[in-house]
mmCIF file of all heavy atoms in Angstrom:
data_model
loop_
_atom_site.group_PDB
_atom_site.id
_atom_site.type_symbol
_atom_site.label_atom_id
_atom_site.label_comp_id
_atom_site.label_asym_id
_atom_site.label_seq_id
_atom_site.Cartn_x
_atom_site.Cartn_y
_atom_site.Cartn_z
ATOM 1 N N PRO X 1 5.857 17.483 3.638
ATOM 2 C CA PRO X 1 7.304 17.355 3.921
ATOM 3 C C PRO X 1 8.072 17.422 2.489
ATOM 4 O O PRO X 1 7.575 16.950 1.488
ATOM 5 C CB PRO X 1 7.486 15.963 4.498
ATOM 6 C CG PRO X 1 6.205 15.810 5.246
ATOM 7 C CD PRO X 1 5.139 16.420 4.398
ATOM 8 N N ASP X 2 9.259 17.897 2.578
ATOM 9 C CA ASP X 2 10.164 17.964 1.508
ATOM 10 C C ASP X 2 9.653 18.525 0.204
ATOM 11 O O ASP X 2 9.963 18.192 -0.919
ATOM 12 C CB ASP X 2 10.669 16.544 1.160
ATOM 13 C CG ASP X 2 11.313 15.790 2.384
ATOM 14 O OD1 ASP X 2 12.135 16.460 3.059
ATOM 15 O OD2 ASP X 2 11.040 14.644 2.476
ATOM 16 N N GLY X 3 8.756 19.499 0.404
ATOM 17 C CA GLY X 3 8.201 20.234 -0.763
ATOM 18 C C GLY X 3 7.265 19.453 -1.625
ATOM 19 O O GLY X 3 6.918 19.793 -2.740
ATOM 20 N N ARG X 4 6.740 18.250 -1.077
ATOM 21 C CA ARG X 4 5.784 17.438 -1.817
ATOM 22 C C ARG X 4 4.511 18.214 -2.001
ATOM 23 O O ARG X 4 4.113 19.028 -1.255
ATOM 24 C CB ARG X 4 5.479 16.186 -1.053
ATOM 25 C CG ARG X 4 6.753 15.353 -0.779
ATOM 26 C CD ARG X 4 7.121 14.538 -1.925
ATOM 27 N NE ARG X 4 8.263 15.209 -2.794
ATOM 28 C CZ ARG X 4 8.684 14.839 -3.880
ATOM 29 N NH1 ARG X 4 8.320 13.691 -4.444
ATOM 30 N NH2 ARG X 4 9.660 15.507 -4.469
ATOM 31 N N ARG X 5 3.850 17.987 -3.135
ATOM 32 C CA ARG X 5 2.642 18.734 -3.557
ATOM 33 C C ARG X 5 1.372 18.225 -2.898
ATOM 34 O O ARG X 5 0.370 18.978 -2.924
ATOM 35 C CB ARG X 5 2.469 18.670 -5.012
ATOM 36 C CG ARG X 5 3.658 19.385 -5.797
ATOM 37 C CD ARG X 5 3.551 20.875 -5.761
ATOM 38 N NE ARG X 5 2.302 21.229 -6.404
ATOM 39 C CZ ARG X 5 2.087 21.429 -7.794
ATOM 40 N NH1 ARG X 5 3.140 21.149 -8.583
ATOM 41 N NH2 ARG X 5 0.972 21.845 -8.228
ATOM 42 N N PHE X 6 1.307 16.947 -2.505
ATOM 43 C CA PHE X 6 0.067 16.400 -1.877
ATOM 44 C C PHE X 6 0.478 15.228 -1.150
ATOM 45 O O PHE X 6 1.722 14.805 -1.066
ATOM 46 C CB PHE X 6 -0.857 15.987 -2.982
ATOM 47 C CG PHE X 6 -0.386 14.911 -3.852
ATOM 48 C CD1 PHE X 6 -0.742 13.454 -3.591
ATOM 49 C CD2 PHE X 6 0.383 15.057 -5.007
ATOM 50 C CE1 PHE X 6 -0.211 12.508 -4.362
ATOM 51 C CE2 PHE X 6 0.882 14.100 -5.806
ATOM 52 C CZ PHE X 6 0.589 12.842 -5.526
ATOM 53 N N ALA X 7 -0.449 14.570 -0.449
ATOM 54 C CA ALA X 7 -0.115 13.347 0.368
ATOM 55 C C ALA X 7 -1.113 12.314 0.063
ATOM 56 O O ALA X 7 -2.250 12.508 -0.212
ATOM 57 C CB ALA X 7 -0.053 13.668 1.837
ATOM 58 N N PHE X 8 -0.644 11.080 0.073
ATOM 59 C CA PHE X 8 -1.482 9.843 -0.221
ATOM 60 C C PHE X 8 -1.087 8.826 0.802
ATOM 61 O O PHE X 8 0.045 8.427 1.004
ATOM 62 C CB PHE X 8 -1.383 9.407 -1.598
ATOM 63 C CG PHE X 8 -1.980 8.129 -1.937
ATOM 64 C CD1 PHE X 8 -3.397 8.159 -2.287
ATOM 65 C CD2 PHE X 8 -1.426 6.871 -1.755
ATOM 66 C CE1 PHE X 8 -4.129 6.997 -2.606
ATOM 67 C CE2 PHE X 8 -2.148 5.647 -2.039
ATOM 68 C CZ PHE X 8 -3.433 5.799 -2.479
ATOM 69 N N THR X 9 -2.131 8.146 1.321
ATOM 70 C CA THR X 9 -1.951 7.019 2.245
ATOM 71 C C THR X 9 -3.168 6.118 2.183
ATOM 72 O O THR X 9 -4.156 6.448 1.552
ATOM 73 C CB THR X 9 -1.644 7.382 3.743
ATOM 74 O OG1 THR X 9 -1.287 6.305 4.427
ATOM 75 C CG2 THR X 9 -2.920 8.079 4.269
ATOM 76 N N VAL X 10 -3.029 4.924 2.727
ATOM 77 C CA VAL X 10 -4.045 3.926 2.748
ATOM 78 C C VAL X 10 -4.187 3.292 4.092
ATOM 79 O O VAL X 10 -3.154 3.028 4.725
ATOM 80 C CB VAL X 10 -3.750 2.763 1.672
ATOM 81 C CG1 VAL X 10 -4.863 1.604 1.718
ATOM 82 C CG2 VAL X 10 -3.602 3.310 0.334
ATOM 83 N N PHE X 11 -5.393 3.056 4.554
ATOM 84 C CA PHE X 11 -5.643 2.107 5.637
ATOM 85 C C PHE X 11 -6.297 0.860 5.038
ATOM 86 O O PHE X 11 -7.434 0.975 4.527
ATOM 87 C CB PHE X 11 -6.524 2.696 6.727
ATOM 88 C CG PHE X 11 -6.603 1.808 8.001
ATOM 89 C CD1 PHE X 11 -5.843 2.083 9.092
ATOM 90 C CD2 PHE X 11 -7.403 0.732 8.001
ATOM 91 C CE1 PHE X 11 -5.870 1.290 10.201
ATOM 92 C CE2 PHE X 11 -7.533 -0.103 9.136
ATOM 93 C CZ PHE X 11 -6.724 0.121 10.232
ATOM 94 N N ASP X 12 -5.551 -0.230 5.099
ATOM 95 C CA ASP X 12 -6.006 -1.500 4.500
ATOM 96 C C ASP X 12 -6.689 -2.343 5.584
ATOM 97 O O ASP X 12 -6.020 -2.937 6.401
ATOM 98 C CB ASP X 12 -4.864 -2.207 3.888
ATOM 99 C CG ASP X 12 -5.174 -3.611 3.389
ATOM 100 O OD1 ASP X 12 -6.327 -3.862 3.095
ATOM 101 O OD2 ASP X 12 -4.265 -4.369 3.394
ATOM 102 N N ASP X 13 -8.078 -2.512 5.550
ATOM 103 C CA ASP X 13 -8.788 -3.415 6.418
ATOM 104 C C ASP X 13 -8.301 -4.785 6.075
ATOM 105 O O ASP X 13 -8.297 -5.183 4.943
ATOM 106 C CB ASP X 13 -10.291 -3.252 6.248
ATOM 107 C CG ASP X 13 -10.815 -2.044 6.990
ATOM 108 O OD1 ASP X 13 -10.016 -1.229 7.562
ATOM 109 O OD2 ASP X 13 -12.083 -1.936 6.979
ATOM 110 N N THR X 14 -8.043 -5.658 7.045
ATOM 111 C CA THR X 14 -7.416 -6.930 6.850
ATOM 112 C C THR X 14 -8.362 -7.980 6.514
ATOM 113 O O THR X 14 -8.016 -9.169 6.280
ATOM 114 C CB THR X 14 -6.573 -7.341 8.085
ATOM 115 O OG1 THR X 14 -5.719 -8.385 7.746
ATOM 116 C CG2 THR X 14 -7.494 -7.648 9.260
ATOM 117 N N ASP X 15 -9.650 -7.756 6.348
ATOM 118 C CA ASP X 15 -10.772 -8.626 6.018
ATOM 119 C C ASP X 15 -10.294 -9.515 4.784
ATOM 120 O O ASP X 15 -10.061 -9.002 3.684
ATOM 121 C CB ASP X 15 -11.978 -8.005 5.684
ATOM 122 C CG ASP X 15 -12.472 -6.982 6.647
ATOM 123 O OD1 ASP X 15 -11.667 -6.472 7.459
ATOM 124 O OD2 ASP X 15 -13.688 -6.693 6.662
ATOM 125 N N GLY X 16 -10.250 -10.814 5.029
ATOM 126 C CA GLY X 16 -9.996 -11.770 3.959
ATOM 127 C C GLY X 16 -8.534 -11.911 3.497
ATOM 128 O O GLY X 16 -8.196 -12.679 2.610
ATOM 129 N N ALA X 17 -7.592 -11.059 4.186
ATOM 130 C CA ALA X 17 -6.273 -11.039 3.749
ATOM 131 C C ALA X 17 -5.438 -12.270 4.029
ATOM 132 O O ALA X 17 -5.418 -12.743 5.231
ATOM 133 C CB ALA X 17 -5.590 -9.799 4.255
ATOM 134 N N ARG X 18 -4.631 -12.757 3.088
ATOM 135 C CA ARG X 18 -3.719 -13.860 3.241
ATOM 136 C C ARG X 18 -2.556 -13.533 2.420
ATOM 137 O O ARG X 18 -2.596 -12.623 1.477
ATOM 138 C CB ARG X 18 -4.355 -15.182 2.831
ATOM 139 C CG ARG X 18 -5.667 -15.558 3.548
ATOM 140 C CD ARG X 18 -6.109 -16.918 2.975
ATOM 141 N NE ARG X 18 -6.239 -16.917 1.519
ATOM 142 C CZ ARG X 18 -7.317 -16.522 0.894
ATOM 143 N NH1 ARG X 18 -8.327 -15.940 1.487
ATOM 144 N NH2 ARG X 18 -7.325 -16.575 -0.478
ATOM 145 N N LEU X 19 -1.378 -14.187 2.561
ATOM 146 C CA LEU X 19 -0.202 -13.978 1.788
ATOM 147 C C LEU X 19 -0.551 -14.166 0.255
ATOM 148 O O LEU X 19 0.034 -13.397 -0.610
ATOM 149 C CB LEU X 19 0.869 -14.884 2.158
ATOM 150 C CG LEU X 19 1.673 -14.394 3.392
ATOM 151 C CD1 LEU X 19 2.712 -15.445 3.770
ATOM 152 C CD2 LEU X 19 2.440 -13.086 3.034
ATOM 153 N N ASP X 20 -1.357 -15.178 -0.026
ATOM 154 C CA ASP X 20 -1.610 -15.500 -1.429
ATOM 155 C C ASP X 20 -2.549 -14.486 -2.155
ATOM 156 O O ASP X 20 -2.759 -14.579 -3.406
ATOM 157 C CB ASP X 20 -2.120 -16.917 -1.602
ATOM 158 C CG ASP X 20 -3.535 -17.095 -1.011
ATOM 159 O OD1 ASP X 20 -3.988 -16.207 -0.266
ATOM 160 O OD2 ASP X 20 -4.145 -18.126 -1.250
ATOM 161 N N ASN X 21 -3.162 -13.524 -1.474
ATOM 162 C CA ASN X 21 -4.045 -12.633 -2.118
ATOM 163 C C ASN X 21 -3.763 -11.087 -1.862
ATOM 164 O O ASN X 21 -4.465 -10.288 -2.379
ATOM 165 C CB ASN X 21 -5.530 -12.917 -1.826
ATOM 166 C CG ASN X 21 -5.935 -12.666 -0.327
ATOM 167 O OD1 ASN X 21 -5.168 -12.128 0.463
ATOM 168 N ND2 ASN X 21 -7.171 -13.057 -0.033
ATOM 169 N N VAL X 22 -2.802 -10.860 -1.077
ATOM 170 C CA VAL X 22 -2.315 -9.495 -0.906
ATOM 171 C C VAL X 22 -0.851 -9.279 -0.992
ATOM 172 O O VAL X 22 -0.343 -8.124 -1.047
ATOM 173 C CB VAL X 22 -2.793 -8.856 0.487
ATOM 174 C CG1 VAL X 22 -4.384 -8.798 0.526
ATOM 175 C CG2 VAL X 22 -2.156 -9.534 1.625
ATOM 176 N N GLY X 23 -0.110 -10.397 -1.084
ATOM 177 C CA GLY X 23 1.390 -10.241 -1.165
ATOM 178 C C GLY X 23 1.892 -9.453 -2.253
ATOM 179 O O GLY X 23 2.792 -8.676 -2.099
ATOM 180 N N GLU X 24 1.381 -9.591 -3.465
ATOM 181 C CA GLU X 24 1.830 -8.911 -4.659
ATOM 182 C C GLU X 24 1.455 -7.347 -4.584
ATOM 183 O O GLU X 24 2.100 -6.566 -5.058
ATOM 184 C CB GLU X 24 1.252 -9.470 -5.922
ATOM 185 C CG GLU X 24 1.849 -10.803 -6.230
ATOM 186 C CD GLU X 24 3.294 -10.820 -6.337
ATOM 187 O OE1 GLU X 24 3.835 -9.894 -7.044
ATOM 188 O OE2 GLU X 24 4.021 -11.736 -5.780
ATOM 189 N N VAL X 25 0.337 -7.159 -3.883
ATOM 190 C CA VAL X 25 -0.067 -5.707 -3.690
ATOM 191 C C VAL X 25 0.917 -4.965 -2.908
ATOM 192 O O VAL X 25 1.408 -3.884 -3.292
ATOM 193 C CB VAL X 25 -1.510 -5.626 -2.991
ATOM 194 C CG1 VAL X 25 -1.792 -4.151 -2.614
ATOM 195 C CG2 VAL X 25 -2.541 -6.251 -3.798
ATOM 196 N N TYR X 26 1.431 -5.541 -1.762
ATOM 197 C CA TYR X 26 2.443 -4.889 -0.963
ATOM 198 C C TYR X 26 3.803 -4.930 -1.626
ATOM 199 O O TYR X 26 4.549 -3.983 -1.386
ATOM 200 C CB TYR X 26 2.446 -5.470 0.386
ATOM 201 C CG TYR X 26 1.312 -5.038 1.239
ATOM 202 C CD1 TYR X 26 0.081 -5.623 1.267
ATOM 203 C CD2 TYR X 26 1.428 -3.823 1.951
ATOM 204 C CE1 TYR X 26 -0.991 -5.109 1.988
ATOM 205 C CE2 TYR X 26 0.403 -3.269 2.658
ATOM 206 C CZ TYR X 26 -0.806 -3.919 2.730
ATOM 207 O OH TYR X 26 -1.888 -3.386 3.444
ATOM 208 N N ALA X 27 4.087 -5.878 -2.470
ATOM 209 C CA ALA X 27 5.347 -5.813 -3.232
ATOM 210 C C ALA X 27 5.358 -4.665 -4.142
ATOM 211 O O ALA X 27 6.384 -3.999 -4.378
ATOM 212 C CB ALA X 27 5.522 -7.195 -4.042
ATOM 213 N N LEU X 28 4.196 -4.400 -4.775
ATOM 214 C CA LEU X 28 4.078 -3.261 -5.758
ATOM 215 C C LEU X 28 4.309 -1.973 -4.985
ATOM 216 O O LEU X 28 5.106 -1.088 -5.352
ATOM 217 C CB LEU X 28 2.801 -3.260 -6.406
ATOM 218 C CG LEU X 28 2.494 -2.036 -7.259
ATOM 219 C CD1 LEU X 28 3.440 -1.940 -8.507
ATOM 220 C CD2 LEU X 28 1.003 -1.963 -7.717
ATOM 221 N N LEU X 29 3.563 -1.805 -3.732
ATOM 222 C CA LEU X 29 3.677 -0.643 -3.007
ATOM 223 C C LEU X 29 5.137 -0.371 -2.554
ATOM 224 O O LEU X 29 5.699 0.808 -2.630
ATOM 225 C CB LEU X 29 2.859 -0.674 -1.794
ATOM 226 C CG LEU X 29 1.263 -0.713 -2.117
ATOM 227 C CD1 LEU X 29 0.543 -0.898 -0.805
ATOM 228 C CD2 LEU X 29 0.805 0.547 -2.760
ATOM 229 N N ARG X 30 5.782 -1.482 -2.161
ATOM 230 C CA ARG X 30 7.179 -1.320 -1.745
ATOM 231 C C ARG X 30 8.142 -0.844 -2.881
ATOM 232 O O ARG X 30 8.970 -0.030 -2.681
ATOM 233 C CB ARG X 30 7.660 -2.697 -1.156
ATOM 234 C CG ARG X 30 8.974 -2.636 -0.467
ATOM 235 C CD ARG X 30 9.193 -4.051 0.213
ATOM 236 N NE ARG X 30 10.443 -4.025 0.947
ATOM 237 C CZ ARG X 30 10.741 -4.984 1.882
ATOM 238 N NH1 ARG X 30 9.873 -5.942 2.133
ATOM 239 N NH2 ARG X 30 11.926 -4.964 2.437
ATOM 240 N N ASP X 31 7.914 -1.500 -4.078
ATOM 241 C CA ASP X 31 8.742 -1.100 -5.187
ATOM 242 C C ASP X 31 8.476 0.328 -5.593
ATOM 243 O O ASP X 31 9.444 1.008 -6.190
ATOM 244 C CB ASP X 31 8.363 -2.036 -6.383
ATOM 245 C CG ASP X 31 8.976 -3.463 -6.169
ATOM 246 O OD1 ASP X 31 9.748 -3.639 -5.219
ATOM 247 O OD2 ASP X 31 8.500 -4.339 -6.824
ATOM 248 N N LEU X 32 7.255 0.822 -5.441
ATOM 249 C CA LEU X 32 6.938 2.217 -5.800
ATOM 250 C C LEU X 32 7.357 3.232 -4.776
ATOM 251 O O LEU X 32 7.263 4.420 -5.012
ATOM 252 C CB LEU X 32 5.451 2.342 -6.132
ATOM 253 C CG LEU X 32 4.906 1.563 -7.271
ATOM 254 C CD1 LEU X 32 3.383 1.687 -7.402
ATOM 255 C CD2 LEU X 32 5.602 1.982 -8.621
#
C-alpha cells in the first residue's frame, strides 16, 4: 500500500506478558 517498499509485522505471543515487562515495548511501537 501507498507505494511502500516492503512490509513488516509482528505476532507477539503473550507468554509471560504483563504491563511492567511489555508496556514500554508497545509505547515504542506506537511512537514509531
Side-chain angles (χ1 to χ4, degrees):
D2 302 321
R4 301 284 92 184
R5 295 283 300 277
F6 65 94
F8 174 86
T9 189
V10 176
F11 189 98
D12 172 26
D13 281 7
T14 195
D15 308 23
R18 305 180 306 275
L19 277 174
D20 65 346
N21 65 5
V22 298
E24 292 302 314
V25 174
Y26 280 91
L28 174 67
L29 295 174
R30 188 169 183 168
D31 290 346
L32 293 177

